[in-house]
Amino acid sequence: EVQLVQSGAEVKKPGESLKISCKGSGYSFTSYWIGWVRQMPGKGLEWMGIIYPGDSDTRYSPSFQGQVTISADKSISTAYLQWSSLKASDTAMYYCVRRYNSGFDYWGQGTLVTVSS
Amino acid sequence: EIVLTQSPATLSLSPGERATLSCRASQSVSSYLAWYQQKPGQAPRLLIYDASNRATGIPARFSGSGSGTDFTLTISSLEPEDFAVYYCQQRSNWPPEITFGPGTKVDIK
């Protein structure tokens, strides 16, 4: 069974750093692109970026380029999304997703990040 | 950046009725379009990929059509569990990017 299991909810202060994770299982982790999608409270879906764990090729949405870093450790089948300095506007649910053809066929359960002073 | 526009923003229908949702791209995305369903408190679920292919486990009442810039998701006969928000999403090779539409909410009339 394919699963993407994300790390737990986080509460952080503005200016702090954060790295959240997404562990894939039940399939060849290095053979599928893994992406990250943001959903701010009560809003729609926004694609942040995507990584191919096989060779770490990474693409970012222009809206998120320079704001976050996406990485992967294929030895433990885990992808990461990190911030060096959080803002209140980073408060959102973050989903990791597996790319399949034109869509994303598996979604993690989501990681809620709350940034508040 | 390729922009996706979904219409209508809200669709009010009764169970058993047919739902027709539209997604329009600002430039051609060929058939690289997917549709998702999201219910409150849940992650989205892939319904359709490559414009017209149903994802695994998706009921046959869901169908997708279109190519280029105009796409449609049709729910042939609404079940109570189909009332949700629906998003379209494109994947383009050039520019290499992925974008989501703003969503259509299907609610009970």
Side-chain angles (χ1 to χ4, degrees):
Chain A
E1 179 195 8
V2 174
Q3 284 191 303
L4 296 175
V5 178
Q6 298 184 227
S7 50
E10 302 274 1
V11 179
K12 292 290 192 179
K13 291 182 168 28
E16 291 186 331
S17 63
L18 176 64
K19 191 173 189 178
I20 62 175
S21 66
C22 168
K23 183 172 176 61
S25 63
Y27 73 101
S28 174
F29 186 74
T30 55
S31 299
Y32 291 81
W33 291 83
I34 290 285
W36 289 93
V37 174
R38 182 175 81 173
Q39 188 166 38
M40 299 177 77
K43 302 299 184 183
L45 305 171
E46 301 173 271
W47 173 67
M48 301 177 71
I50 198 162
I51 187 166
Y52 190 73
D55 61 8
S56 294
D57 185 7
T58 308
R59 317 280 173 84
Y60 292 93
S61 162
S63 299
F64 292 92
Q65 179 84 48
Q67 308 304 307
V68 297
T69 301
I70 293 171
S71 60
D73 184 340
K74 59 185 180 183
S75 70
I76 54 171
S77 301
T78 301
Y80 302 96
L81 176 66
Q82 69 180 90
W83 295 260
S84 59
S85 180
L86 286 159
K87 311 179 195 63
S89 58
D90 293 318
T91 294
M93 182 72 81
Y94 293 88
Y95 295 102
C96 66
V97 292
R98 188 182 82 162
R99 204 193 96 180
Y100 177 73
N101 292 303
S102 60
F104 299 122
D105 61 346
Y106 284 92
W107 292 62
Q109 82 276 21
T111 296
L112 181 62
V113 174
T114 303
V115 184
S116 174
S117 54
Chain B
E1 177 186 334
I2 297 175
V3 176
L4 297 179
T5 303
Q6 291 188 242
S7 62
T10 303
L11 193 53
S12 297
L13 294 168
S14 301
E17 289 194 294
R18 182 184 188 90
T20 303
L21 287 67
S22 174
C23 177
R24 177 165 289 177
S26 58
Q27 64 189 76
S28 177
V29 299
S30 185
S31 293
Y32 298 136
L33 190 105
W35 290 92
Y36 301 86
Q37 176 194 68
Q38 187 177 32
K39 298 178 182 178
Q42 297 184 16
R45 175 174 71 146
L46 178 66
L47 300 174
I48 302 288
Y49 65 92
D50 294 352
S52 60
N53 295 288
R54 269 191 304 278
T56 302
I58 301 304
R61 64 180 181 273
F62 292 92
S63 63
S65 63
S67 66
T69 61
D70 289 298
F71 300 87
T72 301
L73 174 70
T74 302
I75 311 171
S76 59
S77 178
L78 282 163
E79 297 288 338
E81 62 268 28
D82 298 337
F83 292 93
V85 179
Y86 292 83
Y87 295 95
C88 59
Q89 167 251 310
Q90 67 83 21
R91 174 184 73 81
S92 65
N93 289 329
W94 190 260
E97 64 178 17
I98 294 168
T99 51
F100 288 92
T104 290
K105 183 177 182 181
V106 179
D107 65 16
I108 300 176
K109 188 173 182 179

